[in-house]
């Protein structure tokens, strides 16, 4: 085993041995979403600009906590006209609500390398509970400038009607489905 590998293991091993606070890396974190259009196809989009913290307790995940924020004006579906509409008051209303936030209320193990995180999502001025099925945390790795890196991947589903999101009669189901499926990939460092 090389000296670098031994040093990397020595740094990584204690990274999760205690309660520790990690910072979300906005450059390597974001969310993707999918919504049904006219009941015949899926439209995909993404959000970026994720910031926040993860307090992680390896021995007792129930003592862990996540707080994250994403910028709603980063919405990107690959179609500028649609993106402009999503940023309007009909959907994200980025002028009034420039961010969406998530604050965990419960973290628990859900199998080997899996967690379930329940928390409050605030979107468009509405706060509702959501459940995330999470893979992770990834084994800590040495990063640049002496940082330690890890990450999570989470999936979930939210109901647009719970958030009064796009309730203009032109956009109610079946024009746009009610369910929004999403995946969140978060890289954290300390």
């Amino acid at each position: 085993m090389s000296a670098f590998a031994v040093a990397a293991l020595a740094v990584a091993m204690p990274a999760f041995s205690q309660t520790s606070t990690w910072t979300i890396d906005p450059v390597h974190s974001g969310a993707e979403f999918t919504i049904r259009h006219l009941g015949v196809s899926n439209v995909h989009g993404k959000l970026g600009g994720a910031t926040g913290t993860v307090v992680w307790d390896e021995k007792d995940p129930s003592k862990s906590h996540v707080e994250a924020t994403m910028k709603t004006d980063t919405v990107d579906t690959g179609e500028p006209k649609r993106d402009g509409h999503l940023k309007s008051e009909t959907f994200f209303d980025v002028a009034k609500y420039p961010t969406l936030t998530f604050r965990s209320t419960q973290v628990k193990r859900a199998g080997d390398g899996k967690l379930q995180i329940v928390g409050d999502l605030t979107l468009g001025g509405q706060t509702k509970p959501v459940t995330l099925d999470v893979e992770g945390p990834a084994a800590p790795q040495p990063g640049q400038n002496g940082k330690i890196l890890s990450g999570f991947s989470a999936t979930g589903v939210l109901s647009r009607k719970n958030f009064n999101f796009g309730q203009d009669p032109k956009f109610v189901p079946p024009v746009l489905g009610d369910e929004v499926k999403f995946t969140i990939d978060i890289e954290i460092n300390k």
Side-chain angles (χ1 to χ4, degrees):
M1 185 177 278
S2 73
F4 175 76
V6 171
L9 283 173
V11 169
M13 291 303 284
F16 282 147
S17 63
Q18 58 189 1
T19 300
S20 53
T21 300
W22 299 71
T23 301
I24 295 173
D25 179 351
V27 175
H28 298 104
S29 302
E32 295 182 355
F33 61 88
T34 304
I35 188 167
R36 202 80 172 142
H37 179 248
L38 294 173
V40 297
S41 65
N42 290 318
V43 173
H44 302 269
K46 58 186 176 179
L47 290 165
T51 58
T53 57
V54 175
V55 176
W56 176 244
D57 188 318
E58 170 69 18
K59 292 183 180 179
D60 185 357
S62 70
K63 295 180 181 175
S64 301
H65 184 75
V66 178
E67 288 194 20
T69 300
M70 286 190 180
K71 297 178 181 178
T72 55
D73 69 354
T74 64
V75 66
D76 179 6
T77 64
E79 170 52 52
K81 186 175 178 183
R82 180 172 48 222
D83 295 346
H85 192 214
L86 286 172
K87 293 175 186 180
S88 76
E89 60 281 349
T90 303
F91 289 96
F92 283 110
D93 196 358
V94 300
K96 190 172 181 181
Y97 305 105
T99 60
L100 62 84
T101 60
F102 176 81
R103 288 183 176 83
S104 66
T105 56
Q106 180 184 33
V107 178
K108 63 182 179 179
R109 289 200 192 278
D112 190 30
K114 298 187 183 300
L115 301 168
Q116 186 176 74
I117 300 177
V118 178
D120 293 326
L121 176 67
T122 301
L123 173 63
Q126 301 288 320
T127 301
K128 302 289 181 180
V130 295
T131 300
L132 306 175
D133 294 315
V134 179
E135 290 185 22
Q141 301 294 319
Q144 295 180 347
N145 303 321
K147 291 185 177 182
I148 305 298
L149 308 177
S150 185
F152 298 87
S153 184
T155 59
V157 177
L158 64 85
S159 166
R160 286 192 310 127
K161 67 183 173 193
N162 285 348
F163 291 91
N164 299 323
F165 194 66
Q167 294 305 308
D168 182 316
K170 296 181 286 192
F171 303 106
V172 297
V175 176
L176 288 179
D178 180 56
E179 285 191 346
V180 180
K181 297 176 183 177
F182 59 89
T183 301
I184 304 166
D185 289 299
I186 298 293
E187 185 173 300
I188 54 177
N189 62 65
K190 68 174 192 150

